Amino acid sequence: MIVCSKKEKINYYFFLVPAFLVFSIFIFWPLIQSLYLSFFKYNIININTPQFVGLKNYNFILHDQIFWTSIVNTVIYVLGTIPLKLLFGLLLALAVNSKFIKFKTFYRTSFYMPVICSMVAVSIVWSLLFNPGPNGIVNIILSKFKINPLGWGSDSNLSLLTVMLLGIWKEIGYVMMIYLSGLMAIPQDIYEAASLDPVSSFQKFMYLTLPLLRPTTIFLLITEMIGSFQVFTPIYVITGGGPGYSSTTIINYLYNKGFQEYSMGQACAVAYVLFAVLLLLTILQNKFSKSEEVSYD
């Protein structure tokens, strides 16, 4: 046990003051202010005093069909991207971690490059690749197989799919690196002990690797779910939430309310509805993490 004097404790807290100031100014105060504004009618263009409306902002968005459309689109995005991210990320991690693969550093770097690229830049390139016209690169490739040009971002049936493909491609490298860390943390003694019995590589994977990667999978599942619920930039750049509202997600809906309709009170209400969802996901993450700790103890 480390014992320190009162003066040393004061010095420790003194060094924490800058961090507390940054947190208070840029995180804590905006949280309080947005919660306050969610109960008011407030137009950011109009300089008049906000008018208190109670829960009317929450009541409005919960009865707004566009809000529920954005919720459905967000859920479709989450359920359509996360399983594929985890699957392909795990397969890439297994491939890169294999003893038969050379130049591992090159492959790790190559697969991780999309993660560190700017989402705006990647989205612009993606919109060029999936140009709905006949001169779009993807449509040119499809025409070689006698497939007619597809509308992609301009087609209400394909617009969300176009963005989902981008989300999967960009995040696979991150998932691969996390799984790779999990694979490298598994003691090799376990596999050496299993080699004493006549078991196949598939059986080792199913009964050893997957169970030992369960904490890593839970971590990725929850964090990717939280990140997917906040998808905004690729939709804003590629489809703008359209055609119609076919690709509008909850963050796009929030943006439209706050910075296109200038109804900041309703936008803050949407933000706190999203906050409640993400808080629930965080609680689930802690619950699963604790259950994993108990099972391994």
Side-chain angles (χ1 to χ4, degrees):
M1 180 178 179
I2 300 177
V3 180
C4 58
S5 64
K6 184 176 181 180
K7 183 179 180 180
E8 288 177 327
K9 289 183 178 180
I10 293 175
N11 290 334
Y12 297 153
Y13 286 116
F14 178 76
F15 282 109
L16 290 174
V17 167
F20 280 124
L21 286 176
V22 172
F23 177 83
S24 300
I25 295 173
F26 295 103
I27 298 179
F28 183 73
W29 174 246
L31 282 174
I32 299 301
Q33 184 70 7
S34 60
L35 178 61
Y36 170 81
L37 288 177
S38 69
F39 299 104
F40 286 80
K41 181 180 180 181
Y42 178 53
N43 190 311
I44 61 176
I45 300 299
N46 194 334
I47 61 174
N48 292 335
T49 304
Q51 301 176 1
F52 179 76
V53 294
L55 296 175
K56 286 186 178 180
N57 287 330
Y58 292 92
N59 183 65
F60 174 83
I61 64 172
L62 292 177
H63 288 84
D64 187 3
Q65 184 60 41
I66 301 176
F67 171 77
W68 289 108
T69 299
S70 69
I71 291 291
V72 171
N73 290 337
T74 304
V75 172
I76 292 174
Y77 181 90
V78 170
L79 297 180
T81 57
I82 292 179
L84 294 177
K85 289 179 185 178
L86 297 184
L87 175 61
F88 290 122
L90 177 57
L91 292 177
L92 285 176
L94 290 171
V96 173
N97 194 53
S98 173
K99 60 182 180 181
F100 302 106
I101 299 295
K102 298 181 180 179
F103 309 110
K104 293 184 178 181
T105 303
F106 169 77
Y107 289 114
R108 292 173 187 171
T109 305
S110 299
F111 289 126
Y112 194 75
M113 282 295 292
V115 180
I116 62 176
C117 291
S118 167
M119 178 59 85
V120 175
V122 170
S123 299
I124 293 174
V125 173
W126 204 259
S127 63
L128 295 175
L129 291 174
F130 286 85
N131 189 304
N135 295 324
I137 295 177
V138 175
N139 280 338
I140 291 175
I141 296 174
L142 292 178
S143 65
K144 303 299 182 181
F145 299 93
K146 308 301 181 182
I147 300 176
N148 294 327
L150 299 178
W152 299 114
S154 63
D155 188 337
S156 59
N157 295 320
L158 297 175
S159 57
L160 190 58
L161 175 63
T162 305
V163 180
M164 289 166 61
L165 292 174
L166 170 59
I168 294 170
W169 172 79
K170 194 174 190 304
E171 290 294 320
I172 282 179
Y174 167 75
V175 176
M176 179 202 70
M177 292 299 290
I178 300 299
Y179 267 129
L180 197 56
S181 300
L183 289 171
M184 296 174 68
I186 298 176
Q188 293 300 311
D189 297 345
I190 298 176
Y191 294 106
E192 292 175 1
S195 299
L196 299 176
D197 296 322
V199 294
S200 64
S201 299
F202 179 77
Q203 289 175 319
K204 290 181 182 179
F205 173 74
M206 292 299 297
Y207 298 107
L208 289 177
T209 306
L210 276 184
L212 292 172
L213 285 177
R214 190 176 302 164
T216 305
T217 301
I218 292 175
F219 168 79
L220 283 170
L221 180 63
I222 301 302
T223 54
E224 284 296 319
M225 189 176 296
I226 292 174
S228 297
F229 265 99
Q230 301 178 75
V231 61
F232 171 74
T233 303
I235 292 177
Y236 180 79
V237 174
I238 297 174
T239 68
Y245 298 100
S246 60
S247 61
T248 298
T249 60
I250 188 170
I251 298 296
N252 293 102
Y253 179 81
L254 185 156
Y255 175 84
N256 292 337
K257 285 295 178 185
F259 300 100
Q260 291 188 351
E261 300 178 14
Y262 305 113
S263 180
M264 192 56 65
Q266 293 179 1
C268 291
V270 175
Y272 266 88
V273 171
L274 178 61
F275 170 77
V277 174
L278 297 181
L279 178 62
L280 176 62
L281 294 176
T282 303
I283 293 173
L284 289 175
Q285 180 187 14
N286 292 333
K287 180 180 178 181
F288 280 116
S289 298
K290 290 179 180 178
S291 64
E292 286 296 325
E293 291 176 2
V294 171
S295 64
Y296 279 96
D297 289 342

